[in-house]
């Protein structure tokens, strides 16, 4: 067995992008809008035939852009987002400067974190204080748990299989809980600067060791300054405390309801051991050190007195494909497409390997309830067969890719009928460089990691760098959670 081969029982598949049925490469909504516009052009032309010289080319050009693809999205959506970002940049909406203004929310976090606030709560089940992020706009609350940075690469096959089955049970519990709206798992890898390694070696050196052995150890410490790395995984669960049978009325009861809902998720046996619930100091450290990596190794006392707004950046500029903030520049990528073949459970290992720059890998997901999941899959099966049928009627036979897509949709429905869950999920990766000179090297390091996964296709988060950056932090923002 080579290093890239794993038992077939440890491979996963069933990844599929939702696809609606429309004319050509258009979606169903775009097809209906296009048909309506063409009818309107015809009605106008009955009174002014010369108008077709303008309206028809414009309509066809817009429909062509909607049908074309660019970076995994429609070209129309891409160029529209580009124009919107340029307009926002012209009015300096993409720039943030934290200044003291006579406004109650002037010092809020920027962007998608503006409506969040941090609550320090007491958890009676553990007897410890925990940090709960409250979204004032939606009323949702997010509880973060710090996980043990372990792994299953050296575990027996049976243990890994058991972990996967247990994790499936956790997803099943989330699908039937109306209070849990979504969750995300983030792993942050921060390269060490070598001091920790040098201090540990110095404490372990024997005074009477041979001189040559001491010289070799000192040379290894000197030439491997980036050999150490800090791995910090956490899981954030977004809860709607008012979705219970007896909705709580005041804020303390809502916090208690949120903690109760999160405590109902049992991760034991999944391979992800919970160290403890994140405290308010833990959340301040994670958020502040993300915006300013220089304070990553600061003491807890340095974060205890920070207000929630002070955990954000002093200044930030949201670029088209990069995000400049305190102490660094970050680039974020989002999932474009997963491989259509079965992949190994360790496929993300190249992304989790330490490098020269701080990196965050976030899996965000929302488990659909059984009724919604069944409706989605039945609709996908119908759309897949309709696309194949239309192609067969116009070209004589359906494309093999369309037939395979219909088979994958039917396979997903069969798996759900057998007890599996339908999950909307996405993958986000953020890498942070300390200066603009290091940004090309950080980008290259990330692109090489993507290629090493052998099939996972990612793209830069064009025009949404700040939002994807925040999605990897315990700010209470999950792009898949709907209000």
């Amino acid at each position: 067995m080579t290093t890239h081969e794993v038992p077939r029982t440890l491979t996963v598949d069933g990844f599929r992008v939702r696809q609606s049925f429309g004319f050509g490469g258009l979606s169903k909504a775009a097809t209906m809008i296009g048909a309506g516009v063409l009818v309107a052009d015809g009605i106008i032309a009955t009174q002014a035939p010369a108008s077709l010289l303008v309206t028809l080319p414009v309509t066809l050009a817009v429909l062509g852009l909607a049908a074309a693809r660019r970076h995994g999205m429609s070209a129309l959506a891409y160029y529209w987002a580009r124009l919107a970002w340029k307009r926002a940049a012209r009015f300096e909406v993409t720039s943030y400067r934290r200044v003291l203004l006579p406004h109650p929310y002037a010092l809020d976090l920027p962007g998608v974190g503006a409506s969040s606030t941090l609550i320090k709560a007491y958890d009676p089940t553990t007897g410890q204080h925990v940090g709960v992020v409250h979204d004032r706009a939606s009323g949702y609350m997010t509880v973060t748990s710090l996980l043990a940075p372990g792994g299953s690469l050296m575990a027996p096959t049976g243990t890994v299989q058991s972990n996967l089955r247990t994790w499936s049970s956790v997803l099943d519990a989330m699908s039937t809980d109306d209070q849990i709206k979504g969750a995300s798992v983030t792993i942050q890898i921060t390269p060490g600067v070598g001091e920790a390694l040098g201090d540990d070696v110095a404490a372990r050196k024997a005074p009477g060791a041979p001189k040559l052995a001491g010289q070799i150890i000192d040379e290894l410490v000197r030439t491997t300054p980036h050999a150490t790395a800090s791995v910090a995984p956490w899981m954030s669960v977004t809860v709607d405390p008012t979705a219970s049978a007896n909705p709580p009325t005041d804020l303390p009861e809502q916090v208690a309801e949120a903690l109760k809902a999160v405590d109902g998720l049992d991760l034991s046996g999944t391979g992800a051991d919970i160290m403890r619930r994140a405290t308010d100091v833990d959340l301040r450290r994670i958020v502040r050190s993300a915006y300013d990596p220089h304070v990553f190794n600061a003491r807890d006392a340095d974060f205890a007195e920070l207000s929630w707004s002070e955990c954000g950046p002093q200044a930030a500029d949201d670029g088209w494909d990069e995000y400049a903030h305190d102490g660094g520049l970050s680039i974020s990528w989002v999932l474009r497409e997963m491989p259509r073949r079965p992949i190994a459970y360790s496929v993300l290992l190249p992304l989790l390997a330490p490098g020269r720059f701080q990196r965050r890998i976030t899996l965000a997901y929302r488990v659909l309830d059984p009724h919604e999941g069944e409706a989605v899959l039945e609709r996908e099966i119908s759309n897949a067969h309709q696309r194949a049928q239309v192609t067969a009627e116009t070209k004589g036979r359906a494309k093999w890719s369309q037939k395979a897509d219909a088979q994958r949709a039917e396979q997903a429905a069969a798996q759900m009928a057998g007890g599996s869950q339908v999950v909307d999920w996405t993958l986000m990766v953020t890498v942070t460089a300390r200066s603009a000179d290091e940004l090309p090297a950080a980008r290259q390091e990330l692109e090489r990691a993507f290629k090493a996964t052998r099939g996972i296709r990612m793209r830069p988060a064009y025009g949404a760098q700040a939002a994807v950056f925040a999605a990897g932090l315990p700010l209470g923002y999950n792009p898949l959670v709907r209000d």
Side-chain angles (χ1 to χ4, degrees):
M1 181 180 297
T2 67
T3 56
H4 298 292
E5 292 178 348
V6 296
R8 186 174 181 82
T9 54
L10 296 184
T11 58
V12 292
D13 58 357
F15 307 107
R16 187 177 178 277
V17 180
R18 291 192 189 184
Q19 300 180 21
S20 60
F21 173 69
F23 179 77
L26 297 176
S27 63
K28 181 178 180 180
T31 300
M32 296 177 64
I33 293 174
V37 173
L38 288 174
V39 170
D41 291 344
I43 294 175
I44 295 174
T46 58
Q47 301 297 326
S51 63
L52 288 177
L53 297 176
V54 177
T55 58
L56 190 59
V58 172
T59 301
L60 294 178
V62 172
L63 292 177
L65 288 175
R69 310 297 294 177
R70 184 171 177 82
H71 300 293
M73 66 184 83
S74 69
L76 181 61
Y78 173 82
Y79 290 116
W80 181 262
R82 180 75 173 178
L83 291 174
W85 177 84
K86 286 187 175 181
R87 183 178 182 275
R90 186 181 302 114
F91 290 97
E92 298 183 351
V93 179
T94 58
S95 298
Y96 170 81
R97 301 293 182 269
R98 190 164 69 90
V99 295
L100 183 60
L101 296 175
H103 190 279
Y105 302 136
L107 298 182
D108 282 342
L109 294 175
V112 295
S115 60
S116 66
T117 184
L118 180 61
I119 300 174
K120 182 179 180 180
Y122 176 77
D123 188 1
T125 59
T126 61
Q128 303 293 330
H129 286 92
V130 298
V132 179
V133 178
H134 179 218
D135 191 327
R136 297 179 297 231
S138 63
Y140 294 167
M141 295 187 175
T142 300
V143 180
T144 300
S145 303
L146 303 182
L147 307 178
S152 57
L153 291 179
M154 301 297 293
T157 300
T159 301
V160 180
Q161 291 175 332
S162 177
N163 293 341
L164 293 176
R165 286 193 297 267
T166 306
W167 184 250
S168 177
S169 300
V170 174
L171 295 179
D172 182 68
M174 294 178 63
S175 68
T176 56
D177 193 333
D178 294 335
Q179 289 184 297
I180 297 179
K181 298 301 179 181
S184 64
V185 177
T186 300
I187 300 179
Q188 178 173 282
I189 301 101
T190 304
V193 294
E195 286 85 351
L197 178 63
D199 294 342
D200 183 67
V201 172
R204 294 170 177 266
K205 287 178 62 176
K211 184 177 180 180
L212 179 60
Q215 291 176 349
I216 294 176
I217 292 297
D218 293 340
E219 181 67 14
L220 288 174
V221 172
R222 185 184 66 82
T223 56
T224 56
H226 298 285
T228 59
S230 173
V231 180
W234 62 81
M235 179 179 181
S236 298
V237 181
T238 302
V239 178
D240 182 7
T242 62
S244 60
N246 297 314
T249 55
D250 57 1
L251 188 61
E253 292 181 355
Q254 292 177 4
V255 172
E257 192 69 26
L259 293 176
K260 179 181 177 181
V262 176
D263 288 338
L265 293 178
D266 185 11
L267 298 183
S268 59
T270 62
D273 298 328
I274 296 180
M275 294 176 56
R276 55 182 171 85
R277 302 291 183 214
T279 65
D280 57 314
V281 177
D282 294 328
L283 297 181
R284 292 189 183 98
R285 173 187 289 276
I286 292 174
V287 175
R288 183 59 195 151
S289 61
Y291 285 105
D292 187 3
H294 296 89
V295 301
F296 178 79
N297 294 316
R299 299 172 299 176
D300 288 345
D302 297 332
F303 299 97
E305 300 300 327
L306 289 179
S307 65
W308 186 236
S309 62
E310 291 174 332
C311 296
Q314 299 288 334
D317 293 300
D318 188 8
W320 175 247
D321 58 358
E322 64 184 38
Y323 183 50
H325 50 85
D326 298 349
L329 291 91
S330 297
I331 50 176
S332 298
W333 293 56
V334 294
L335 180 65
R336 175 176 174 178
E337 185 181 6
M338 286 294 292
R340 300 179 183 179
R341 53 176 172 79
I343 58 176
Y345 76 102
S346 57
V347 66
L348 296 180
L349 187 60
L351 292 176
L352 303 177
R356 291 179 53 194
F357 307 97
Q358 186 185 74
R359 187 186 305 172
R360 279 191 307 280
I361 300 93
T362 301
L363 277 170
Y365 50 91
R366 181 178 70 93
V367 186
L368 278 62
D369 65 75
H371 298 290
E372 182 184 1
E374 182 180 3
V376 168
L377 291 179
E378 290 297 331
R379 186 169 58 249
E380 291 297 307
I381 292 175
S382 299
N383 293 338
H385 283 288
Q386 288 175 358
R387 284 192 299 271
Q389 182 179 357
V390 170
T391 303
E393 293 176 353
T394 56
K395 297 185 177 181
R397 67 174 182 85
K399 297 180 181 178
W400 282 109
S401 59
Q402 293 176 333
K403 294 180 180 180
D405 184 65
Q407 292 175 357
R408 286 195 299 270
E410 293 175 350
Q411 179 185 2
Q415 291 175 345
M416 182 180 179
S420 300
Q421 302 301 323
V422 181
V423 181
D424 277 343
W425 70 281
T426 187
L427 175 65
M428 298 169 286
V429 181
T430 298
V431 63
T432 300
R434 298 296 182 94
S435 64
D437 295 336
E438 295 181 346
L439 194 60
R443 192 187 306 273
Q444 185 182 47
E445 179 180 277
L446 200 57
E447 290 175 349
R448 288 177 177 174
F450 293 146
K451 293 179 181 179
T453 61
R454 298 192 176 190
I456 297 180
R457 302 181 65 186
M458 306 285 291
R459 66 168 177 83
Y462 295 114
Q465 290 289 317
V468 177
F469 182 94
L473 301 175
L475 296 176
Y477 170 69
N478 188 323
L480 301 180
V481 173
R482 304 170 183 174
D483 294 340

